[in-house]
């Protein structure tokens, strides 16, 4: 799949076109990583060298990662939530290149929104992930999820 897609892309746009798209994706990634590093409450997880970036809050009582993800989603940005540590994960693509400055400014604005509204830590996905993190046993969580999904996907609710 992925190799065939890369081959087809390379053939369709040529080497220069492919390299141009790669440079755009990398520029978005570098700009976004710089924006994260400029926010004292945030920290990049690991050492991303490509366009997949994961970051967390180092002051979760001030800036909850999941509340930040909710605030970014309200601004139109999809960021995946992760746990252990609580963090956000984003894959940056060439399509983000024209909006890279907006992504950076939206991140800064979202951090300020979350800092000014601590109640956001108890709403949306922040509340759901916070609750799930408090479940003491993975067995209880697994049992709950089995029941939930079996009821969701049973034919006619039976």
């Amino acid at each position: 799949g992925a190799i065939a897609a890369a081959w087809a892309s390379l053939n369709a746009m040529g080497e220069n076109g492919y390299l141009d798209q790669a440079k755009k994706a990398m520029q978005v990634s570098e700009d976004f990583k710089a924006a994260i590093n400029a926010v004292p409450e945030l920290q990049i997880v690991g050492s991303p060298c490509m366009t997949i970036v994961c970051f967390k809050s180092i002051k979760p009582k001030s800036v909850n990662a999941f509340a930040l993800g909710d605030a970014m989603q309200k601004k139109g940005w999809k960021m995946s939530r992760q746990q252990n540590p609580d963090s956000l994960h984003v894959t940056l693509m060439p399509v983000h290149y024209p909006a890279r400055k907006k992504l950076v400014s939206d991140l800064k604005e979202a951090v300020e929104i979350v800092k000014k509204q601590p109640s956001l830590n108890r709403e949306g996905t922040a509340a759901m992930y916070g609750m799930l993190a408090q479940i003491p046993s993975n067995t209880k969580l697994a049992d709950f999820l089995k029941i939930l999904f079996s009821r969701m996907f049973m034919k006619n609710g039976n």
Side-chain angles (χ1 to χ4, degrees), residues 125-152:
T125 61
M128 180 185 66
Y129 277 91
M131 177 205 60
L132 291 174
Q134 299 305 313
I135 296 175
S137 165
N138 283 343
T139 303
K140 289 181 184 179
L141 178 58
D143 292 344
F144 167 76
L145 291 174
K146 285 177 191 173
I147 293 168
L148 173 69
F149 285 123
S150 67
R151 289 184 181 165
M152 285 173 57

Side-chain angles (χ1 to χ4, degrees), residues 50-64:
M50 295 303 286
T51 63
I52 298 173
V53 179
C54 181
F55 61 101
K56 65 180 182 175
S57 173
I58 57 173
K59 297 183 179 180
K61 291 184 180 179
S62 173
V63 178
N64 177 286

Side-chain angles (χ1 to χ4, degrees), residues 21-96:
Q21 293 300 304
K23 286 176 187 175
K24 286 178 178 177
M26 290 304 297
Q27 185 63 57
V28 175
S29 179
E30 292 303 317
D31 291 352
F32 192 63
K33 289 187 290 186
I36 293 166
N37 287 330
V39 177
E41 295 86 0
L42 301 180
Q43 180 181 58
I44 294 173
V45 176
S47 301
C49 59
M50 295 303 286
T51 63
I52 298 173
V53 179
C54 181
F55 61 101
K56 65 180 182 175
S57 173
I58 57 173
K59 297 183 179 180
K61 291 184 180 179
S62 173
V63 178
N64 177 286
F66 302 134
L68 180 59
D70 292 343
M72 288 296 286
Q73 191 151 344
K74 287 179 183 172
K75 292 179 172 293
W77 300 102
K78 175 66 175 142
M79 297 191 174
S80 300
R81 281 71 167 165
Q82 297 182 328
Q83 292 180 298
N84 300 321
D86 292 351
S87 55
L88 298 173
H89 165 264
V90 62
T91 302
L92 300 161
M93 307 292 286
V95 71
H96 296 118

